[in-house]
Amino acid sequence: MKAYRKKMKNSTPNPCRNLEKANLGGVIFGCTNKTMNECLTKQIFGLPAQHFGYVKNIDPGLPLFLFNYSKRSLHGIYEAASPGQLNINPYGWTRDGSERTGFPAQVLIRTLKNCRPLLENQFSPVIQENYYTHSHFCFELDHVQANKLIALFSTQVVAPAPSTRNPGNSEILNLRPPRLRIGECNENVASDPSTHHMDMSQYLRDDTETNGKNELELVSEQLQNLDVNSEPSDSFPETQVHKSSRTSAIHFEVDVTQEKEITEEDNVEDSSLLPSNYPSVIAQLMLEVRELKAFKQESTDKIAQLEHQVRILESEVKLLQGLDDRMLEPLPGDCETFTLGTMAASCSGQQPDFDDIIFMAGGYDGKSWLASFEAYYPSKDTVEALCPMSSVRSYASVARLKGEIYVIGGCSGGSHGLWYDTVERYSPLYNEWTMPACLNKKKGNLSAVTLHDKIFALGGGDGVSSFSDVEMFDLDVGRWISARSMLEKRFALAAVEFNGALYAVGGFDGQDYLSSTERFDPREHSWSRLGSMNTTRGCHSMVVLNEKLYAVGGFDGNSMISSVEVFDPRLGTWRMHEPMNYHRGYSTAVVLNNNIYAIGGVDENENIVDQVERYEEGLGWQVTDLKGIGPRSFASAIV
């Protein structure tokens, strides 16, 4: 197992710096010559799912850059026009839109400045600490790196079209309106004054030198230049008010794409009309502009919230109407296609039987760490993509409670992935995820079991320590409560409920792989030891079939194994059983229609298994031709 983990560490380099949201100053996205045009014409950038851990931290206004792998060049400057989300365009960068995108971590963008691209030898010194191989680097940028890249791009700005003004004027004084800070003016952009993008405004003033001055100081300085030869006026005639308003409009026009140029002759004419209290007028105007923008953003947010509520209500109305129609008039003839997300009924007019579906959550497919959540139908060998989880998640455990599915703990994937204390709850009725209370500590490779309308999370670890802890989730309490700990520490254990008791089997205690078994009886509120397995194993699966416990596959401390053991609670002993055809560790196993399905995993050669095996009493283990799921490991499954 140590050799396998070492190989995984070497073969899956960490693509993330795991910067906190407040420390994220920018993000680089990737493309090739083939995909770059789609990125820019459709104004959307995307990355593989394992990058969603930080793409979800993107807020509107965050600086973005686009790296062309084909030319090893960096393009900019762009900014986020939406929060980072999953599957904004679920079919982007595919040939004909018939398959799901391989780059679901997405964000809408807009072009902030049109600049010539930077070659790698130009930008690599700025992000040198991000390189983890000679040609691969992390895409997360801190504020210092983002600001340096923006400054570097500012020297490469594509020149605008030549001015058409009369070249006979001796000197043109540039009076462009101050560049609005990112996240401050657009209706799709948050206006939080505490945003961490505010320090970049000095680079975004269309090459105007600021020297650290704020907007008020810059405008005041420009007005003083206009007023250098004029005397202050004690009066402010009505005609002057009209002209001064026109002058102020030049400086405070909110459209950042417009540029104003005033000749010296015009300046002298207008400067004589400036009132003596123009700094206070400027300050008042700026305050009013900020208040208007804040009000506009607040209104936009409220509208978005109301639209979201309307969509939810419309979905619920359609659902109720559909169920009512089906109860009154059952559909005759052929079955319609069942769509889990919309709860379409089966041909009998009844709600579908969820026990005929295997739900698959997260894991690794040999290429990407996944946030996907899918409904797999073995009878048809088809997979239906459901609403994905909010995070890439592997090494998690899954349990069902009162018609909803809980995905508990786990890791963001890879040898340097983040361990989670978060829990996600899926409603099959609405195809939606919610976030119930978190675990009391971060952990993965745990086992979750439902007993008496409560979920018990057993053991696990955080990559450093193995745990014997048990936490219990009670819907009435709404949080995880510490329960009686197991007798041994168990990382990568397997556990099941049988006849009102919990059974915890195998795992890794921090030193050795275990063969021991223990049982928790809630009536006695204590754990007791039972007979041990014949083989040490962790990273295995366990199911209950015909009142017997089956321990399937796993890792025995040296290699992945195919062996299966059966525990008869009436006898209290384990016996060796017919092995599977494939060695499997980190696989999933479920019981469906009185058969055991063993899905995915890692084999003895450390390859991801794409074969599904099915066990039926009397027939043994048979390799199926089911290919719908494909290669998968470190995933969770439940029926």
Side-chain angles (χ1 to χ4, degrees):
M1 188 62 185
K2 293 181 179 178
Y4 171 69
R5 287 179 176 168
K6 183 177 181 181
K7 180 172 180 179
M8 288 295 293
K9 180 176 181 179
N10 294 333
S11 62
T12 312
N14 178 26
C16 308
R17 294 176 62 187
N18 297 316
L19 294 176
E20 296 291 336
K21 188 170 185 176
N23 299 325
L24 186 66
V27 172
I28 297 173
F29 283 74
C31 71
T32 64
N33 286 339
K34 294 181 179 180
T35 60
M36 185 171 181
N37 182 62
E38 183 173 349
C39 291
L40 298 181
T41 56
K42 294 186 177 180
Q43 298 282 279
I44 186 171
F45 292 169
L47 286 171
Q50 64 263 34
H51 295 268
F52 186 63
Y54 62 87
V55 170
K56 68 181 180 181
N57 290 333
I58 294 177
D59 284 331
L62 188 76
L64 305 176
F65 307 91
L66 188 62
F67 178 68
N68 187 326
Y69 281 94
S70 303
K71 297 182 177 180
R72 307 293 298 180
S73 58
L74 189 66
H75 298 255
I77 306 169
Y78 311 100
E79 68 174 355
S82 75
Q85 303 173 51
L86 280 172
N87 292 310
I88 297 175
N89 180 0
Y91 305 100
W93 307 284
T94 58
R95 291 183 180 179
D96 55 2
S98 62
E99 56 185 6
R100 304 283 292 190
T101 182
F103 310 97
Q106 298 171 1
V107 63
L108 298 176
I109 65 102
R110 66 172 63 89
T111 301
L112 189 61
K113 277 193 177 184
N114 187 21
C115 305
R116 285 182 288 273
L118 299 174
L119 299 178
E120 191 164 17
N121 61 358
Q122 293 177 285
F123 70 81
S124 59
V126 175
I127 62 168
Q128 190 61 48
E129 66 182 271
N130 285 29
Y131 279 81
Y132 54 87
T133 73
H134 73 282
S135 60
H136 293 84
F137 53 87
C138 300
F139 285 170
E140 298 165 89
L141 303 173
D142 55 39
H143 294 292
V144 174
Q145 292 173 324
N147 290 344
K148 286 183 178 180
L149 282 181
I150 291 171
L152 192 58
F153 269 110
S154 296
T155 66
Q156 307 290 321
V157 175
V158 177
S163 173
T164 58
R165 296 179 66 89
N166 183 0
N169 294 329
S170 59
E171 184 179 355
I172 303 296
L173 178 61
N174 188 356
L175 283 181
R176 300 170 184 169
R179 174 68 70 183
L180 294 175
R181 289 171 178 163
I182 306 229
E184 202 174 56
C185 74
N186 190 280
E187 64 183 12
N188 295 321
V189 180
S191 58
D192 182 359
S194 64
T195 176
H196 48 271
H197 314 317
M198 303 293 275
D199 60 343
M200 296 179 302
S201 59
Q202 59 179 319
Y203 297 119
L204 304 177
R205 300 183 185 275
D206 287 342
D207 305 320
T208 301
E209 180 62 39
T210 66
N211 293 323
K213 300 182 178 66
N214 60 32
E215 294 171 342
L216 179 58
E217 291 171 335
L218 287 170
V219 176
S220 299
E221 181 178 321
Q222 291 171 343
L223 290 174
Q224 288 171 0
N225 289 336
L226 295 178
D227 200 31
V228 64
N229 294 320
S230 64
E231 294 294 330
S233 174
D234 294 332
S235 62
F236 199 9
E238 184 176 353
T239 57
Q240 292 177 337
V241 172
H242 176 74
K243 292 185 178 180
S244 179
S245 299
R246 178 172 57 84
T247 305
S248 298
I250 293 174
H251 302 297
F252 295 97
E253 176 64 24
V254 186
D255 185 357
V256 298
T257 63
Q258 298 183 12
E259 297 181 356
K260 303 289 184 180
E261 293 183 341
I262 309 295
T263 63
E264 283 187 345
E265 183 179 353
D266 292 336
N267 292 342
V268 172
E269 177 183 354
D270 286 345
S271 65
S272 62
L273 303 177
L274 292 172
S276 59
N277 64 337
Y278 70 83
S280 62
V281 174
I282 292 171
Q284 181 63 30
L285 286 171
M286 293 184 68
L287 178 61
E288 292 176 357
V289 168
R290 292 194 180 101
E291 289 176 349
L292 284 172
K293 287 185 288 190
F295 175 76
K296 184 177 182 180
Q297 183 61 46
E298 182 180 356
S299 300
T300 302
D301 293 342
K302 288 181 178 179
I303 291 172
Q305 293 173 6
L306 290 173
E307 289 176 344
H308 179 68
Q309 293 176 0
V310 167
R311 287 194 296 270
I312 293 176
L313 290 173
E314 287 176 344
S315 299
E316 292 178 351
V317 169
K318 290 179 180 178
L319 172 65
L320 293 173
Q321 289 174 339
L323 292 177
D324 184 59
D325 292 341
R326 284 188 292 273
M327 285 187 291
L328 293 175
E329 299 179 8
L331 294 173
D334 295 335
C335 294
E336 293 188 354
T337 301
F338 166 59
T339 303
L340 181 67
T342 57
M343 278 296 295
S346 65
C347 60
S348 64
Q350 302 298 319
Q351 292 188 9
D353 183 359
F354 289 112
D355 288 336
D356 288 334
I357 304 169
I358 299 175
F359 292 93
M360 299 286 299
Y364 181 68
D365 64 3
K367 297 178 181 179
S368 303
W369 297 94
L370 306 173
S372 62
F373 188 69
E374 300 153 333
Y376 176 58
Y377 306 84
S379 60
K380 298 179 181 180
D381 195 25
T382 58
V383 173
E384 179 185 356
L386 305 176
C387 180
M389 297 178 288
S390 65
S391 303
V392 171
R393 198 176 290 262
S394 56
Y395 304 98
S397 191
V398 62
R400 187 172 62 182
L401 178 62
K402 293 189 175 179
E404 296 183 311
I405 297 171
Y406 290 71
V407 183
I408 301 164
C411 177
S412 61
S415 57
H416 298 284
L418 295 176
W419 295 95
Y420 296 142
D421 59 2
T422 55
V423 178
E424 302 195 45
R425 177 172 54 204
Y426 178 77
S427 169
L429 183 61
Y430 297 107
N431 191 29
E432 289 180 346
W433 290 94
T434 54
M435 302 289 287
C438 293
L439 296 164
N440 293 311
K441 63 172 63 173
K442 297 178 179 180
K443 62 182 71 172
N445 271 315
L446 69 163
S447 190
V449 182
T450 302
L451 173 65
H452 299 325
D453 288 334
K454 298 177 178 60
I455 298 176
F456 290 79
L458 285 64
D462 58 6
V464 178
S465 302
S466 297
F467 303 143
S468 61
D469 303 350
V470 177
E471 300 184 38
M472 180 186 70
F473 179 76
D474 188 335
L475 273 176
D476 295 332
V477 178
R479 62 185 179 88
W480 292 87
I481 304 169
S482 295
R484 180 65 61 89
S485 295
M486 295 180 292
L487 302 175
E488 295 189 74
K489 297 179 179 179
R490 298 181 186 271
F491 175 83
L493 78 161
V496 294
E497 180 275 335
F498 178 69
N499 280 347
L502 302 179
Y503 291 78
V505 178
F508 180 70
D509 66 1
Q511 299 292 329
D512 301 300
Y513 280 85
L514 307 173
S515 61
S516 60
T517 304
E518 51 185 299
R519 178 178 61 194
F520 176 78
D521 189 332
R523 295 168 298 183
E524 300 175 0
H525 197 63
S526 63
W527 289 90
S528 58
R529 295 187 185 276
L530 301 176
S532 295
M533 294 182 291
N534 299 281
T535 305
T536 58
R537 68 180 79 214
C539 320
H540 55 299
S541 302
M542 193 159 67
V543 296
V544 177
L545 175 64
N546 295 332
E547 299 189 343
K548 296 182 178 65
L549 281 56
Y550 287 72
V552 180
F555 182 79
D556 65 1
N558 295 304
S559 66
M560 301 299 174
I561 56 179
S562 61
S563 66
V564 176
E565 298 190 48
V566 177
F567 180 80
D568 188 336
R570 293 167 297 184
L571 302 176
T573 58
W574 289 90
R575 61 180 176 84
M576 299 301 296
H577 197 63
E578 176 186 350
M580 296 181 290
N581 296 279
Y582 286 84
H583 295 71
R584 299 176 189 267
Y586 288 112
S587 62
T588 59
V590 297
V591 174
L592 183 65
N593 296 326
N594 219 35
N595 294 326
I596 301 175
Y597 287 82
I599 303 170
V602 179
D603 66 17
E604 73 276 22
N605 297 316
E606 300 173 358
N607 298 315
I608 307 300
V609 180
D610 62 356
Q611 298 288 338
V612 176
E613 294 187 56
R614 180 174 56 227
Y615 174 81
E616 183 177 357
E617 282 192 328
L619 298 178
W621 289 96
Q622 296 178 338
V623 178
T624 70
D625 57 358
L626 300 176
K627 299 293 184 181
I629 294 178
R632 187 73 66 89
S633 62
F634 313 108
S636 306
I638 195 170
V639 296

